[in-house]
Amino acid sequence: MELHRESKIPLYQQIKDAIRLQIEAGDWRPGQQIPSEPELSEGLGVARGTVRNAITELVHEGWLERRQGDGTYVTRRSLEQRLMGFYSFAREARERGQELTSRVLEWTTVRCSEGLARRLEQPAGEPVLHVTRLRLLEGEPVVLESCLIPAAVAAPLREEDFTQGALYDALEERCGVRILLAEESFSAITLGAYEAELLQVPPGAPALSVERVAYAPGRHPVELRLGTLRGDRCRFRIELR
């Protein structure tokens, strides 16, 4: 870790950037303890407060965590999704060697309201499967989502299909429905008490609200999904060409 004292970038920011780079490069791995503030301060030849400012910001951004009386550790990896085309959290986690599990909180059939009927292109009053599930990355809750699927499409699905693997795989294998494309919108929110309790963060914590409509061939909507993603454990990566 090398600091450039003539740079216009503050020393604490240089330290912060260097630590984050070491984490992203895999030099410091999830669960690994980093050097203490006095060790970093002495090694870099800067005031301890400068190091503390860098570490504090990395803690707030979810890269590091302080353990009382035990030091500072690299947090577990975020659920990262690349936005270069159609994606699935379950498939992405599997490719990265991470365990993503789901816990079904609600499994019920509701009647289409007029608004929902328009979104799913169903007659008002038609039955719709409504499933709410909590998704956990390596045992830690990171996503709360509700899926609404026309009952005629979802008839072959079982509750277990929403706890294991990718839902769209189950739709294709059990229902003969292939998801061809989806439209998504994102917005930044703060969590209310109910969502915060389920996601195990304080009320008011930052999060992403994601709304998706998934389409089968012929652009027939077969799912409306409303997701709430923890801001400190989920991130999206976009490749710009």
Side-chain angles (χ1 to χ4, degrees), residues 30-71:
Q32 179 179 342
Q33 185 177 16
I34 72 168
S36 67
E37 289 180 8
E39 289 172 332
L40 287 170
S41 174
E42 181 178 353
L44 295 171
V46 298
R48 183 171 175 178
T50 302
V51 173
R52 185 181 300 115
N53 289 341
I55 290 177
T56 296
E57 290 199 4
L58 288 166
V59 169
H60 289 162
E61 293 175 11
W63 293 93
L64 298 173
E65 61 176 332
R66 287 191 174 104
R67 300 180 187 176
Q68 188 65 35
D70 192 29

Side-chain angles (χ1 to χ4, degrees), residues 7-148:
S7 173
K8 295 181 180 179
I9 301 175
L11 289 176
Y12 88 90
Q13 183 66 44
Q14 293 185 47
I15 296 170
K16 176 184 172 183
D17 291 343
I19 292 174
R20 178 172 172 175
L21 182 60
Q22 288 189 271
I23 294 172
E24 289 194 305
D27 297 326
W28 290 353
R29 304 190 63 79
Q32 179 179 342
Q33 185 177 16
I34 72 168
S36 67
E37 289 180 8
E39 289 172 332
L40 287 170
S41 174
E42 181 178 353
L44 295 171
V46 298
R48 183 171 175 178
T50 302
V51 173
R52 185 181 300 115
N53 289 341
I55 290 177
T56 296
E57 290 199 4
L58 288 166
V59 169
H60 289 162
E61 293 175 11
W63 293 93
L64 298 173
E65 61 176 332
R66 287 191 174 104
R67 300 180 187 176
Q68 188 65 35
D70 192 29
T72 304
Y73 290 78
V74 179
T75 56
R76 286 178 288 176
R77 289 176 293 176
S78 296
L79 179 59
E80 180 177 294
Q81 183 56 62
R82 294 166 292 178
L83 297 183
M84 295 184 293
F86 195 83
Y87 69 86
S88 159
F89 283 133
R91 294 172 190 161
E92 184 71 18
R94 186 166 59 241
E95 289 176 5
R96 291 166 59 89
Q98 297 172 285
E99 181 186 26
L100 183 70
T101 56
S102 300
R103 183 189 309 157
V104 174
L105 304 178
E106 183 180 25
W107 171 280
T108 187
T109 301
V110 298
R111 296 287 175 181
C112 260
S113 64
E114 290 187 2
L116 181 57
R118 286 194 297 271
R119 300 298 300 276
L120 291 176
E121 297 181 4
Q122 297 287 311
E126 282 292 295
V128 173
L129 177 64
H130 182 198
V131 180
T132 300
R133 58 181 178 169
L134 187 65
R135 314 199 74 181
L136 303 95
L137 184 68
E138 297 173 345
E140 184 178 17
V142 293
V143 181
L144 175 66
E145 64 183 16
S146 291
C147 303
L148 296 119

Side-chain angles (χ1 to χ4, degrees), residues 199-229:
L199 292 172
Q200 297 180 7
V201 294
L208 273 178
S209 175
V210 181
E211 180 180 303
R212 170 188 287 190
V213 179
Y215 297 89
R219 205 176 176 83
H220 300 299
V222 293
E223 181 207 29
L224 172 63
R225 185 179 302 197
L226 306 174
T228 302
L229 288 64

Side-chain angles (χ1 to χ4, degrees), residues 110-199:
V110 298
R111 296 287 175 181
C112 260
S113 64
E114 290 187 2
L116 181 57
R118 286 194 297 271
R119 300 298 300 276
L120 291 176
E121 297 181 4
Q122 297 287 311
E126 282 292 295
V128 173
L129 177 64
H130 182 198
V131 180
T132 300
R133 58 181 178 169
L134 187 65
R135 314 199 74 181
L136 303 95
L137 184 68
E138 297 173 345
E140 184 178 17
V142 293
V143 181
L144 175 66
E145 64 183 16
S146 291
C147 303
L148 296 119
I149 307 171
V153 172
L157 294 177
R158 302 173 301 186
E159 186 169 331
E160 290 76 14
D161 294 325
F162 288 82
T163 61
Q164 301 176 2
L167 171 59
Y168 295 159
D169 290 345
L171 277 172
E172 185 168 355
E173 294 167 5
R174 299 180 59 81
C175 306
V177 174
R178 179 170 172 263
I179 303 299
L180 184 64
L181 60 91
E183 295 177 341
E184 244 176 18
S185 61
F186 300 80
S187 57
I189 61 170
T190 56
L191 294 174
Y194 172 72
E195 294 91 347
E197 181 179 3
L198 287 172
L199 292 172

